[in-house]
Amino acid sequence: MKKSLYIISALLINASTLLAQSEKISVKAPGFARPLVEKLVSEYTKQHPDANIEIVKGKTEDAAHTLQFTAEGGDINIARYAVVPVTASGSDAEQLLQSSHLNAKQLRNLFFLKDEFADEEHKESKAEKAVHIYTGNSQQSVARAYASRFNQDATNYKGKKISGDDSFLNIAISRDPLGVTINALSNVYDLKSRKLAGNLAIVPLDLDKQGRQVFHQGNLDEIISLLEQEEFKEIPVGNLGLAYNHADTRQNDFVHWILTEGTKYAHEYGLLNLSQKEQTAQLERTQDAVLLSCL
């Protein structure tokens, strides 16, 4: 009798495990990271045919089975993204800004409303008065990370706020000769040619000699390499993070796979890798989270 109960119990455990493995995991991602996330899901499911992972848009009802990539960092960080100011190539805005090399202070003045409590007086430049600022307005817009790097709130941007994916910002400035915006490298460069999208121009920045040369040459891989080695106040870098259910075995396995095997795809899709030290720290965090979820 006891032997039969043990067999039944073992069968039930195995059945529960198989059921958990087959349960669908919904994955959400900000637009600038979606191509990378699609690649990660594709490669992982090739190696794990039993995994049922689907990328979705909008809200999901089952939080326990949702894995959220986020532009504001998360439980675990898996990559980084750089944000640059852009305008339409050949536009009036490009003409106004082409002779300038904006430093961090000038960028703050260009994109954000005047601080009424600031000690110093600021006289608006001709370009500041003329250009029209466009920024993303969604929770997953890179505009939020850009603002935080300048010690600003996302509500403090000048100009128009555009809802939806940040790729819509490129459309907005293409229709406005005076339009200027900010966007992630993956939304500004052609991921196949590795060159700046033909209808866009990066606003000149006050970088060192090497930085100016690399951006002038305009090769995405060289820019990524530069930004992984050197920090510029004029080019904020944010963390692409993950929020997920640590008690879910499949989600834990997917996250561990991303940190050990999936990071090699970051450059291909316009993102920066974490430093080796930071990647090791993130792996340790995944292990700690699994242990805590078992208590």
mmCIF file of all heavy atoms in Angstrom, residues 7 12 39 52 63 67 69 88 100 103-104 108 113 117 125 128 146-147 152 175 187 189 192 234 247 250 256 267 275:
data_model
loop_
_atom_site.group_PDB
_atom_site.id
_atom_site.type_symbol
_atom_site.label_atom_id
_atom_site.label_comp_id
_atom_site.label_asym_id
_atom_site.label_seq_id
_atom_site.Cartn_x
_atom_site.Cartn_y
_atom_site.Cartn_z
ATOM 1 N N ILE A 7 4.446 5.754 -5.385
ATOM 2 C CA ILE A 7 4.427 5.812 -6.850
ATOM 3 C C ILE A 7 3.466 6.883 -7.335
ATOM 4 O O ILE A 7 3.777 7.686 -8.217
ATOM 5 C CB ILE A 7 4.049 4.437 -7.446
ATOM 6 C CG1 ILE A 7 5.167 3.428 -7.141
ATOM 7 C CG2 ILE A 7 3.812 4.547 -8.950
ATOM 8 C CD1 ILE A 7 4.816 2.001 -7.529
ATOM 9 N N LEU A 12 2.401 12.356 -9.438
ATOM 10 C CA LEU A 12 1.762 13.670 -9.289
ATOM 11 C C LEU A 12 2.790 14.789 -9.329
ATOM 12 O O LEU A 12 2.569 15.852 -9.935
ATOM 13 C CB LEU A 12 0.969 13.729 -7.976
ATOM 14 C CG LEU A 12 -0.337 12.917 -7.938
ATOM 15 C CD1 LEU A 12 -0.913 12.917 -6.528
ATOM 16 C CD2 LEU A 12 -1.356 13.491 -8.923
ATOM 17 N N LYS A 39 14.851 38.012 -30.076
ATOM 18 C CA LYS A 39 15.981 37.120 -30.323
ATOM 19 C C LYS A 39 16.225 36.207 -29.123
ATOM 20 O O LYS A 39 16.461 34.996 -29.290
ATOM 21 C CB LYS A 39 17.234 37.950 -30.611
ATOM 22 C CG LYS A 39 18.497 37.136 -30.868
ATOM 23 C CD LYS A 39 18.402 36.365 -32.169
ATOM 24 C CE LYS A 39 19.728 35.696 -32.505
ATOM 25 N NZ LYS A 39 19.659 34.923 -33.783
ATOM 26 N N ASN A 52 7.129 27.531 -23.123
ATOM 27 C CA ASN A 52 5.997 28.200 -23.775
ATOM 28 C C ASN A 52 6.065 29.689 -23.418
ATOM 29 O O ASN A 52 5.508 30.131 -22.418
ATOM 30 C CB ASN A 52 4.688 27.569 -23.302
ATOM 31 C CG ASN A 52 3.478 28.144 -24.024
ATOM 32 O OD1 ASN A 52 3.608 28.976 -24.923
ATOM 33 N ND2 ASN A 52 2.293 27.705 -23.629
ATOM 34 N N ALA A 63 0.020 38.196 -13.320
ATOM 35 C CA ALA A 63 1.335 38.749 -13.000
ATOM 36 C C ALA A 63 2.351 37.658 -12.675
ATOM 37 O O ALA A 63 3.544 37.817 -12.931
ATOM 38 C CB ALA A 63 1.218 39.725 -11.826
ATOM 39 N N LEU A 67 6.814 38.090 -17.359
ATOM 40 C CA LEU A 67 8.192 38.511 -17.213
ATOM 41 C C LEU A 67 8.331 39.849 -17.941
ATOM 42 O O LEU A 67 8.098 39.932 -19.137
ATOM 43 C CB LEU A 67 9.113 37.444 -17.806
ATOM 44 C CG LEU A 67 10.619 37.577 -17.577
ATOM 45 C CD1 LEU A 67 11.266 36.191 -17.521
ATOM 46 C CD2 LEU A 67 11.260 38.388 -18.685
ATOM 47 N N PHE A 69 10.471 43.092 -19.125
ATOM 48 C CA PHE A 69 11.696 43.853 -19.363
ATOM 49 C C PHE A 69 11.345 45.316 -19.153
ATOM 50 O O PHE A 69 10.298 45.777 -19.594
ATOM 51 C CB PHE A 69 12.201 43.642 -20.791
ATOM 52 C CG PHE A 69 12.799 42.285 -21.030
ATOM 53 C CD1 PHE A 69 11.988 41.188 -21.308
ATOM 54 C CD2 PHE A 69 14.174 42.088 -20.986
ATOM 55 C CE1 PHE A 69 12.527 39.937 -21.531
ATOM 56 C CE2 PHE A 69 14.728 40.845 -21.215
ATOM 57 C CZ PHE A 69 13.903 39.761 -21.487
ATOM 58 N N ALA A 88 15.920 65.626 -37.419
ATOM 59 C CA ALA A 88 15.832 65.125 -38.783
ATOM 60 C C ALA A 88 16.989 65.663 -39.618
ATOM 61 O O ALA A 88 17.358 66.834 -39.516
ATOM 62 C CB ALA A 88 14.494 65.534 -39.399
ATOM 63 N N SER A 100 27.063 73.960 -32.939
ATOM 64 C CA SER A 100 27.227 73.840 -31.488
ATOM 65 C C SER A 100 27.713 72.441 -31.130
ATOM 66 O O SER A 100 27.493 71.484 -31.866
ATOM 67 C CB SER A 100 25.897 74.102 -30.778
ATOM 68 O OG SER A 100 25.359 75.350 -31.144
ATOM 69 N N ASN A 103 27.158 70.716 -24.237
ATOM 70 C CA ASN A 103 27.589 70.003 -23.046
ATOM 71 C C ASN A 103 26.360 69.644 -22.205
ATOM 72 O O ASN A 103 25.221 69.956 -22.579
ATOM 73 C CB ASN A 103 28.602 70.826 -22.244
ATOM 74 C CG ASN A 103 28.036 72.182 -21.811
ATOM 75 O OD1 ASN A 103 26.845 72.325 -21.565
ATOM 76 N ND2 ASN A 103 28.915 73.172 -21.696
ATOM 77 N N ALA A 104 26.577 69.002 -21.072
ATOM 78 C CA ALA A 104 25.458 68.523 -20.253
ATOM 79 C C ALA A 104 24.553 69.669 -19.808
ATOM 80 O O ALA A 104 23.316 69.547 -19.820
ATOM 81 C CB ALA A 104 25.994 67.760 -19.047
ATOM 82 N N ARG A 108 20.590 70.195 -20.788
ATOM 83 C CA ARG A 108 19.544 70.375 -19.775
ATOM 84 C C ARG A 108 18.694 71.607 -20.101
ATOM 85 O O ARG A 108 17.467 71.567 -20.024
ATOM 86 C CB ARG A 108 20.172 70.510 -18.393
ATOM 87 C CG ARG A 108 19.151 70.548 -17.250
ATOM 88 C CD ARG A 108 19.839 70.784 -15.917
ATOM 89 N NE ARG A 108 20.441 72.114 -15.878
ATOM 90 C CZ ARG A 108 21.614 72.393 -15.335
ATOM 91 N NH1 ARG A 108 22.348 71.440 -14.798
ATOM 92 N NH2 ARG A 108 22.088 73.627 -15.337
ATOM 93 N N LEU A 113 12.396 72.508 -18.786
ATOM 94 C CA LEU A 113 11.881 73.809 -18.393
ATOM 95 C C LEU A 113 12.830 74.469 -17.403
ATOM 96 O O LEU A 113 13.529 73.793 -16.640
ATOM 97 C CB LEU A 113 10.496 73.655 -17.759
ATOM 98 C CG LEU A 113 9.386 73.126 -18.686
ATOM 99 C CD1 LEU A 113 8.148 72.790 -17.869
ATOM 100 C CD2 LEU A 113 9.058 74.152 -19.770
ATOM 101 N N PHE A 117 13.982 78.071 -9.239
ATOM 102 C CA PHE A 117 14.733 78.244 -7.989
ATOM 103 C C PHE A 117 16.249 78.227 -8.214
ATOM 104 O O PHE A 117 17.019 78.239 -7.253
ATOM 105 C CB PHE A 117 14.343 77.157 -6.991
ATOM 106 C CG PHE A 117 12.872 77.146 -6.667
ATOM 107 C CD1 PHE A 117 12.024 76.224 -7.264
ATOM 108 C CD2 PHE A 117 12.332 78.071 -5.783
ATOM 109 C CE1 PHE A 117 10.666 76.217 -6.973
ATOM 110 C CE2 PHE A 117 10.980 78.069 -5.482
ATOM 111 C CZ PHE A 117 10.137 77.146 -6.081
ATOM 112 N N SER A 125 19.383 80.554 -25.668
ATOM 113 C CA SER A 125 20.086 80.699 -26.939
ATOM 114 C C SER A 125 19.059 80.753 -28.078
ATOM 115 O O SER A 125 17.869 80.457 -27.885
ATOM 116 C CB SER A 125 21.032 79.524 -27.160
ATOM 117 O OG SER A 125 20.283 78.325 -27.336
ATOM 118 N N GLU A 128 17.561 77.289 -28.545
ATOM 119 C CA GLU A 128 16.604 76.950 -27.482
ATOM 120 C C GLU A 128 15.246 77.582 -27.735
ATOM 121 O O GLU A 128 14.198 76.972 -27.491
ATOM 122 C CB GLU A 128 17.137 77.407 -26.128
ATOM 123 C CG GLU A 128 18.258 76.546 -25.561
ATOM 124 C CD GLU A 128 18.793 77.136 -24.263
ATOM 125 O OE1 GLU A 128 17.980 77.391 -23.356
ATOM 126 O OE2 GLU A 128 20.008 77.354 -24.160
ATOM 127 N N TYR A 146 16.635 59.422 -19.241
ATOM 128 C CA TYR A 146 17.375 60.612 -19.664
ATOM 129 C C TYR A 146 17.158 61.741 -18.662
ATOM 130 O O TYR A 146 18.102 62.414 -18.252
ATOM 131 C CB TYR A 146 16.904 61.033 -21.058
ATOM 132 C CG TYR A 146 17.800 62.037 -21.755
ATOM 133 C CD1 TYR A 146 18.915 61.611 -22.472
ATOM 134 C CD2 TYR A 146 17.524 63.404 -21.723
ATOM 135 C CE1 TYR A 146 19.733 62.523 -23.134
ATOM 136 C CE2 TYR A 146 18.336 64.319 -22.379
ATOM 137 C CZ TYR A 146 19.438 63.868 -23.085
ATOM 138 O OH TYR A 146 20.250 64.782 -23.732
ATOM 139 N N ALA A 147 15.919 61.937 -18.245
ATOM 140 C CA ALA A 147 15.603 62.998 -17.286
ATOM 141 C C ALA A 147 16.317 62.770 -15.956
ATOM 142 O O ALA A 147 16.876 63.708 -15.368
ATOM 143 C CB ALA A 147 14.100 63.074 -17.067
ATOM 144 N N GLN A 152 16.323 65.605 -13.286
ATOM 145 C CA GLN A 152 15.049 66.206 -13.650
ATOM 146 C C GLN A 152 13.941 65.161 -13.542
ATOM 147 O O GLN A 152 14.186 63.959 -13.609
ATOM 148 C CB GLN A 152 15.093 66.737 -15.088
ATOM 149 C CG GLN A 152 16.107 67.841 -15.327
ATOM 150 C CD GLN A 152 15.666 69.169 -14.747
ATOM 151 O OE1 GLN A 152 14.481 69.486 -14.702
ATOM 152 N NE2 GLN A 152 16.640 69.969 -14.296
ATOM 153 N N ARG A 175 8.385 65.184 -39.360
ATOM 154 C CA ARG A 175 7.290 66.018 -39.854
ATOM 155 C C ARG A 175 7.404 67.470 -39.406
ATOM 156 O O ARG A 175 6.627 68.316 -39.854
ATOM 157 C CB ARG A 175 5.955 65.437 -39.360
ATOM 158 C CG ARG A 175 5.634 64.072 -39.949
ATOM 159 C CD ARG A 175 4.392 63.487 -39.305
ATOM 160 N NE ARG A 175 4.019 62.207 -39.933
ATOM 161 C CZ ARG A 175 3.053 61.407 -39.479
ATOM 162 N NH1 ARG A 175 2.356 61.760 -38.393
ATOM 163 N NH2 ARG A 175 2.787 60.278 -40.094
ATOM 164 N N ASN A 187 16.965 52.716 -31.643
ATOM 165 C CA ASN A 187 15.906 53.368 -32.420
ATOM 166 C C ASN A 187 16.462 54.406 -33.391
ATOM 167 O O ASN A 187 15.725 54.933 -34.218
ATOM 168 C CB ASN A 187 14.916 54.074 -31.488
ATOM 169 C CG ASN A 187 13.872 53.133 -30.919
ATOM 170 O OD1 ASN A 187 13.606 52.084 -31.491
ATOM 171 N ND2 ASN A 187 13.294 53.497 -29.795
ATOM 172 N N TYR A 189 19.814 54.014 -34.965
ATOM 173 C CA TYR A 189 20.681 53.380 -35.952
ATOM 174 C C TYR A 189 19.992 52.205 -36.633
ATOM 175 O O TYR A 189 19.166 51.511 -36.024
ATOM 176 C CB TYR A 189 21.979 52.911 -35.294
ATOM 177 C CG TYR A 189 22.930 54.057 -35.014
ATOM 178 C CD1 TYR A 189 22.756 54.868 -33.898
ATOM 179 C CD2 TYR A 189 23.972 54.351 -35.878
ATOM 180 C CE1 TYR A 189 23.599 55.951 -33.654
ATOM 181 C CE2 TYR A 189 24.827 55.423 -35.651
ATOM 182 C CZ TYR A 189 24.629 56.219 -34.533
ATOM 183 O OH TYR A 189 25.454 57.290 -34.298
ATOM 184 N N LYS A 192 20.916 46.700 -39.254
ATOM 185 C CA LYS A 192 21.539 45.870 -40.296
ATOM 186 C C LYS A 192 22.781 46.547 -40.866
ATOM 187 O O LYS A 192 23.849 45.950 -40.932
ATOM 188 C CB LYS A 192 20.526 45.571 -41.399
ATOM 189 C CG LYS A 192 19.390 44.653 -40.950
ATOM 190 C CD LYS A 192 18.464 44.318 -42.110
ATOM 191 C CE LYS A 192 17.357 43.369 -41.646
ATOM 192 N NZ LYS A 192 16.428 43.032 -42.761
ATOM 193 N N GLU A 234 27.054 63.812 -21.340
ATOM 194 C CA GLU A 234 26.141 64.196 -22.413
ATOM 195 C C GLU A 234 25.374 63.017 -23.002
ATOM 196 O O GLU A 234 24.438 63.203 -23.783
ATOM 197 C CB GLU A 234 26.916 64.893 -23.538
ATOM 198 C CG GLU A 234 27.539 66.220 -23.154
ATOM 199 C CD GLU A 234 28.784 66.079 -22.283
ATOM 200 O OE1 GLU A 234 29.354 64.968 -22.215
ATOM 201 O OE2 GLU A 234 29.186 67.085 -21.668
ATOM 202 N N ALA A 247 9.746 32.631 -7.935
ATOM 203 C CA ALA A 247 9.290 31.296 -7.532
ATOM 204 C C ALA A 247 8.973 30.410 -8.731
ATOM 205 O O ALA A 247 8.705 29.222 -8.570
ATOM 206 C CB ALA A 247 8.051 31.424 -6.638
ATOM 207 N N ARG A 250 10.728 28.049 -14.465
ATOM 208 C CA ARG A 250 11.022 28.341 -15.862
ATOM 209 C C ARG A 250 11.528 29.767 -16.046
ATOM 210 O O ARG A 250 12.474 30.018 -16.777
ATOM 211 C CB ARG A 250 9.789 28.105 -16.732
ATOM 212 C CG ARG A 250 9.954 28.518 -18.195
ATOM 213 C CD ARG A 250 11.083 27.756 -18.890
ATOM 214 N NE ARG A 250 10.686 26.406 -19.213
ATOM 215 C CZ ARG A 250 11.520 25.450 -19.586
ATOM 216 N NH1 ARG A 250 12.820 25.702 -19.625
ATOM 217 N NH2 ARG A 250 11.099 24.243 -19.874
ATOM 218 N N HIS A 256 18.501 33.146 -15.975
ATOM 219 C CA HIS A 256 19.875 32.650 -15.830
ATOM 220 C C HIS A 256 20.501 32.435 -17.204
ATOM 221 O O HIS A 256 21.679 32.771 -17.420
ATOM 222 C CB HIS A 256 19.874 31.336 -15.036
ATOM 223 C CG HIS A 256 21.253 30.826 -14.723
ATOM 224 N ND1 HIS A 256 21.933 29.972 -15.566
ATOM 225 C CD2 HIS A 256 22.089 31.068 -13.679
ATOM 226 C CE1 HIS A 256 23.120 29.693 -15.053
ATOM 227 N NE2 HIS A 256 23.240 30.346 -13.917
ATOM 228 N N HIS A 267 24.894 43.602 -28.427
ATOM 229 C CA HIS A 267 25.480 44.521 -29.404
ATOM 230 C C HIS A 267 24.735 44.478 -30.733
ATOM 231 O O HIS A 267 24.518 45.523 -31.365
ATOM 232 C CB HIS A 267 26.950 44.175 -29.646
ATOM 233 C CG HIS A 267 27.836 44.530 -28.504
ATOM 234 N ND1 HIS A 267 29.207 44.353 -28.538
ATOM 235 C CD2 HIS A 267 27.568 45.057 -27.282
ATOM 236 C CE1 HIS A 267 29.739 44.750 -27.397
ATOM 237 N NE2 HIS A 267 28.761 45.171 -26.617
ATOM 238 N N SER A 275 29.252 45.372 -17.435
ATOM 239 C CA SER A 275 30.641 45.003 -17.176
ATOM 240 C C SER A 275 30.657 43.574 -16.626
ATOM 241 O O SER A 275 29.644 43.075 -16.119
ATOM 242 C CB SER A 275 31.272 45.954 -16.159
ATOM 243 O OG SER A 275 30.656 45.785 -14.885
#
